[in-house]
Amino acid sequence: MDRKRSRILPYALTLLLSLSLASAGVAADQVIKIGAVYPLTGAIASTGLDCLHGAELAVDIINGKYPDLNLPLAKTEGLPNLGGAKLKLVVADTKGEPRNGQAEAERLVTQEKVVGMIGAYQSAVTKTASQATERLKIPYVCSDSSSPTLTERGLKYFFRVSPHDAIFARDQLQFLKDLEKAKGVKIGTIAVLYENTEFGSNVGKQVLMLAPEYGFKVVADISYSANATDVTSEVGRLIRANPDVLMHASYITDAILFTKTFKEMGFNPKGLMTFAGYIEPGYLPAVKADGNDIIVRSTFALDLAKRKPLVAKVNALFKKKYGIDMSENAARSFAAPFVFADAINRAKTTEAEAVVKALLATNIPGDQVVYPWKGIQFDPKSHQNIHARGILVQIQNQNYVTVWPFDSAAANVIWPFPAWKSRK
């Protein structure tokens, strides 16, 4: 090779790579922009920030090199099929409002030129944000919203990684049947309590529909305003109904308010089973030991590390970055960037139709996720992960420990719920 050709070749290769990346929809700086919409101000800002932290850690791992982590693309730096392109989260604040979620999703697509979307934790916000991305033909991977209706709309561009509340409701009811068999207890009646947005209303709907199938009688069906500041009326109705078990769907502010009111008014069902708000990082610091013995649906617990060492490794990275253990919310939000990166890498482009096709072919095995699932594969019609399932954790000594399924429990469940007056 003569000197002139040897000088030209590197430039030619660089030009070829640039043209290749351009045709793949990747910017010249090899950055792939993914929109991330979360409530970063307002009543549940701490939860939104927690979710964002989970997604940020996932992006760090995808963009860095972590040879000891068995996670998608962890062992390479960036996306190898796109010349090592890196993911970048472009973050927007929904303020916990559906209108803002929709507006921010539109802005991120049309102005920031994101090629995908994740978030938004609150199902009502995810619903409007995903309507916007559907209209704009941008893929949306959700791993932190649980309303069943989100994957019942027939949307082409929307995919969900985590379980929905129909799955969680069945888990809670099956737990009660398993508990009756294991402990010889009798549970006959259930009260259903839920906040009145997309999330809570659909939890209530699912429990009301499924309870008779499991042989339980519903003795109270109570909804309340998501921004309630006084719930003595609702708790009074619960006391009069006297259920064996309460099932409560809430966000964090109402979870704290109800816990305090349960104690003040002496509401003592045999079991206090809950969704969402009772597992958010700000809950236990607010109620401390009053949260003990409450059962919460979950997809993640730190004690899963006993059977899955990957959980401990990821939690160590999270704790190093943020100074706290990884929560259930952060763990759920951790999934979406990996699913996106895996699909874009296989598609070798950020072009939406090709990414959707790759998402439909997703097959991430169970040993590459931090959840007790067989992996991630999407139903071709609903786009719901067919392997997503829940576990139940109970607050014991102000820690969340897995108590169901019984064959994978880290501790025995404490049952019945101890009376408030007998607590220390």
Side-chain angles (χ1 to χ4, degrees), residues 308-388:
K308 184 173 267 195
L310 177 63
V311 170
K313 292 179 181 179
V314 170
N315 184 55
L317 291 173
F318 190 89
K319 196 165 188 175
K320 181 179 180 181
K321 185 175 178 71
Y322 298 109
I324 57 174
D325 286 321
M326 192 174 215
S327 71
E328 198 263 348
N329 286 325
R332 277 200 289 166
S333 299
F334 183 70
F338 286 108
V339 173
F340 248 131
D342 171 70
I344 293 172
N345 189 57
R346 283 185 288 105
K348 301 180 182 179
T349 176
T350 59
E351 193 273 323
E353 302 305 318
V355 174
V356 167
K357 184 177 179 181
L359 284 168
L360 286 167
T362 295
N363 187 7
I364 297 175
D367 62 355
Q368 293 186 26
V369 299
V370 294
Y371 323 98
W373 307 341
K374 292 181 180 178
I376 300 174
Q377 283 183 284
F378 295 109
D379 179 272
K381 184 176 180 181
S382 68
H383 298 180
Q384 169 68 40
N385 176 18
I386 61 173
H387 298 303

Side-chain angles (χ1 to χ4, degrees), residues 5 8 29 36 49 55 85 91 120 127 134 156 173 179 201 295 312 314 318 347-348 358 362 364 380 396-397:
R5 289 179 61 192
I8 292 173
D29 56 359
L49 186 62
V91 180
K127 188 174 185 177
E134 188 75 9
K156 177 181 178 180
L173 294 165
L179 186 71
S201 297
I295 295 170
V314 170
F318 190 89
K348 301 180 182 179
T362 295
I364 297 175
Q396 297 183 2
N397 297 319

